[in-house]
PDB file of all heavy atoms in Angstrom:
ATOM      1  N   VAL F   5    -103.012 -51.139  87.865  1.00 38.00           N
ATOM      2  CA  VAL F   5    -101.639 -51.105  88.351  1.00 38.00           C
ATOM      3  C   VAL F   5    -101.438 -49.936  89.306  1.00 38.00           C
ATOM      4  O   VAL F   5    -100.798 -50.061  90.355  1.00 38.00           O
ATOM      5  CB  VAL F   5    -100.652 -51.016  87.170  1.00 38.00           C
ATOM      6  CG1 VAL F   5     -99.231 -50.802  87.679  1.00 38.00           C
ATOM      7  CG2 VAL F   5    -100.728 -52.276  86.320  1.00 38.00           C
ATOM      8  N   ILE F  16     -97.274 -49.996 103.332  1.00 41.00           N
ATOM      9  CA  ILE F  16     -95.905 -49.870 103.810  1.00 41.00           C
ATOM     10  C   ILE F  16     -95.779 -48.728 104.804  1.00 41.00           C
ATOM     11  O   ILE F  16     -95.146 -48.846 105.846  1.00 41.00           O
ATOM     12  CB  ILE F  16     -94.941 -49.658 102.619  1.00 41.00           C
ATOM     13  CG1 ILE F  16     -94.901 -50.941 101.762  1.00 41.00           C
ATOM     14  CG2 ILE F  16     -93.552 -49.291 103.116  1.00 41.00           C
ATOM     15  CD1 ILE F  16     -94.152 -50.768 100.457  1.00 41.00           C
ATOM     16  N   PRO F  20     -94.983 -48.975 110.037  1.00 44.00           N
ATOM     17  CA  PRO F  20     -94.218 -48.350 111.110  1.00 44.00           C
ATOM     18  C   PRO F  20     -95.041 -47.370 111.923  1.00 44.00           C
ATOM     19  O   PRO F  20     -94.783 -47.162 113.096  1.00 44.00           O
ATOM     20  CB  PRO F  20     -93.085 -47.630 110.370  1.00 44.00           C
ATOM     21  CG  PRO F  20     -93.576 -47.437 108.984  1.00 44.00           C
ATOM     22  CD  PRO F  20     -94.435 -48.634 108.703  1.00 44.00           C
ATOM     23  N   ILE F  29    -104.392 -51.941 111.318  1.00 98.00           N
ATOM     24  CA  ILE F  29    -104.773 -52.587 110.060  1.00 98.00           C
ATOM     25  C   ILE F  29    -105.707 -53.746 110.392  1.00 98.00           C
ATOM     26  O   ILE F  29    -105.407 -54.558 111.265  1.00 98.00           O
ATOM     27  CB  ILE F  29    -103.539 -53.112 109.303  1.00 98.00           C
ATOM     28  CG1 ILE F  29    -102.576 -51.967 109.011  1.00 98.00           C
ATOM     29  CG2 ILE F  29    -103.966 -53.792 108.002  1.00 98.00           C
ATOM     30  CD1 ILE F  29    -101.271 -52.414 108.377  1.00 98.00           C
ATOM     31  N   GLY F  62    -108.811 -52.562 105.936  1.00 98.00           N
ATOM     32  CA  GLY F  62    -108.995 -51.204 106.416  1.00 98.00           C
ATOM     33  C   GLY F  62    -107.836 -50.707 107.255  1.00 98.00           C
ATOM     34  O   GLY F  62    -107.052 -51.493 107.813  1.00 98.00           O
ATOM     35  N   GLY F  70    -104.379 -33.662 122.699  1.00 94.00           N
ATOM     36  CA  GLY F  70    -104.378 -32.995 123.994  1.00 94.00           C
ATOM     37  C   GLY F  70    -105.741 -32.423 124.333  1.00 94.00           C
ATOM     38  O   GLY F  70    -106.587 -32.189 123.458  1.00 94.00           O
ATOM     39  N   GLY F 147    -128.898 -44.123 100.411  1.00 52.00           N
ATOM     40  CA  GLY F 147    -127.658 -43.472  99.999  1.00 52.00           C
ATOM     41  C   GLY F 147    -127.447 -43.574  98.496  1.00 52.00           C
ATOM     42  O   GLY F 147    -128.147 -44.278  97.786  1.00 52.00           O
ATOM     43  N   ASN F 181    -127.636 -25.443  92.064  1.00 85.00           N
ATOM     44  CA  ASN F 181    -128.695 -25.918  92.948  1.00 85.00           C
ATOM     45  C   ASN F 181    -128.058 -26.714  94.086  1.00 85.00           C
ATOM     46  O   ASN F 181    -127.581 -27.825  93.879  1.00 85.00           O
ATOM     47  CB  ASN F 181    -129.695 -26.798  92.186  1.00 85.00           C
ATOM     48  CG  ASN F 181    -130.916 -27.144  93.017  1.00 85.00           C
ATOM     49  OD1 ASN F 181    -130.892 -27.074  94.242  1.00 85.00           O
ATOM     50  ND2 ASN F 181    -131.985 -27.515  92.344  1.00 85.00           N
ATOM     51  N   PHE F 205    -133.539 -42.168 109.961  1.00 97.00           N
ATOM     52  CA  PHE F 205    -134.226 -41.458 108.871  1.00 97.00           C
ATOM     53  C   PHE F 205    -133.221 -41.137 107.782  1.00 97.00           C
ATOM     54  O   PHE F 205    -132.059 -40.826 108.060  1.00 97.00           O
ATOM     55  CB  PHE F 205    -134.856 -40.167 109.391  1.00 97.00           C
ATOM     56  CG  PHE F 205    -135.414 -39.292 108.298  1.00 97.00           C
ATOM     57  CD1 PHE F 205    -136.637 -39.577 107.714  1.00 97.00           C
ATOM     58  CD2 PHE F 205    -134.692 -38.190 107.845  1.00 97.00           C
ATOM     59  CE1 PHE F 205    -137.135 -38.779 106.697  1.00 97.00           C
ATOM     60  CE2 PHE F 205    -135.190 -37.380 106.833  1.00 97.00           C
ATOM     61  CZ  PHE F 205    -136.421 -37.680 106.252  1.00 97.00           C
ATOM     62  N   LEU F 257    -137.592 -61.745  87.028  1.00 57.00           N
ATOM     63  CA  LEU F 257    -137.477 -63.092  87.573  1.00 57.00           C
ATOM     64  C   LEU F 257    -138.164 -64.118  86.683  1.00 57.00           C
ATOM     65  O   LEU F 257    -137.758 -65.257  86.607  1.00 57.00           O
ATOM     66  CB  LEU F 257    -138.104 -63.154  88.969  1.00 57.00           C
ATOM     67  CG  LEU F 257    -137.339 -62.474  90.099  1.00 57.00           C
ATOM     68  CD1 LEU F 257    -138.094 -62.669  91.405  1.00 57.00           C
ATOM     69  CD2 LEU F 257    -135.945 -63.040  90.233  1.00 57.00           C
ATOM     70  N   GLY F 281    -124.482 -72.885 123.215  1.00 94.00           N
ATOM     71  CA  GLY F 281    -123.112 -72.904 123.676  1.00 94.00           C
ATOM     72  C   GLY F 281    -122.382 -71.668 123.172  1.00 94.00           C
ATOM     73  O   GLY F 281    -122.975 -70.636 122.877  1.00 94.00           O
ATOM     74  N   ASP F 302    -146.827 -56.688  96.774  1.00 97.00           N
ATOM     75  CA  ASP F 302    -146.300 -57.091  98.068  1.00 97.00           C
ATOM     76  C   ASP F 302    -145.277 -58.213  97.906  1.00 97.00           C
ATOM     77  O   ASP F 302    -145.193 -58.853  96.853  1.00 97.00           O
ATOM     78  CB  ASP F 302    -147.424 -57.576  98.980  1.00 97.00           C
ATOM     79  CG  ASP F 302    -148.394 -56.467  99.355  1.00 97.00           C
ATOM     80  OD1 ASP F 302    -148.135 -55.291  99.016  1.00 97.00           O
ATOM     81  OD2 ASP F 302    -149.430 -56.779  99.974  1.00 97.00           O
ATOM     82  N   SER F 340    -124.759 -59.819 101.065  1.00 93.00           N
ATOM     83  CA  SER F 340    -124.264 -58.537 101.532  1.00 93.00           C
ATOM     84  C   SER F 340    -123.946 -57.558 100.403  1.00 93.00           C
ATOM     85  O   SER F 340    -124.243 -56.374 100.501  1.00 93.00           O
ATOM     86  CB  SER F 340    -123.014 -58.744 102.390  1.00 93.00           C
ATOM     87  OG  SER F 340    -122.491 -57.513 102.822  1.00 93.00           O
ATOM     88  N   THR F 357    -111.812 -62.967 110.035  1.00 98.00           N
ATOM     89  CA  THR F 357    -111.497 -61.564 110.351  1.00 98.00           C
ATOM     90  C   THR F 357    -110.096 -61.472 110.921  1.00 98.00           C
ATOM     91  O   THR F 357    -109.574 -62.410 111.528  1.00 98.00           O
ATOM     92  CB  THR F 357    -112.503 -60.971 111.346  1.00 98.00           C
ATOM     93  OG1 THR F 357    -112.435 -61.707 112.580  1.00 98.00           O
ATOM     94  CG2 THR F 357    -113.911 -61.027 110.791  1.00 98.00           C
TER      95      THR F 357
END
Side-chain angles (χ1 to χ4, degrees):
V5 173
I16 293 171
I29 301 175
N181 188 339
F205 172 79
L257 288 181
D302 294 353
S340 178
T357 62

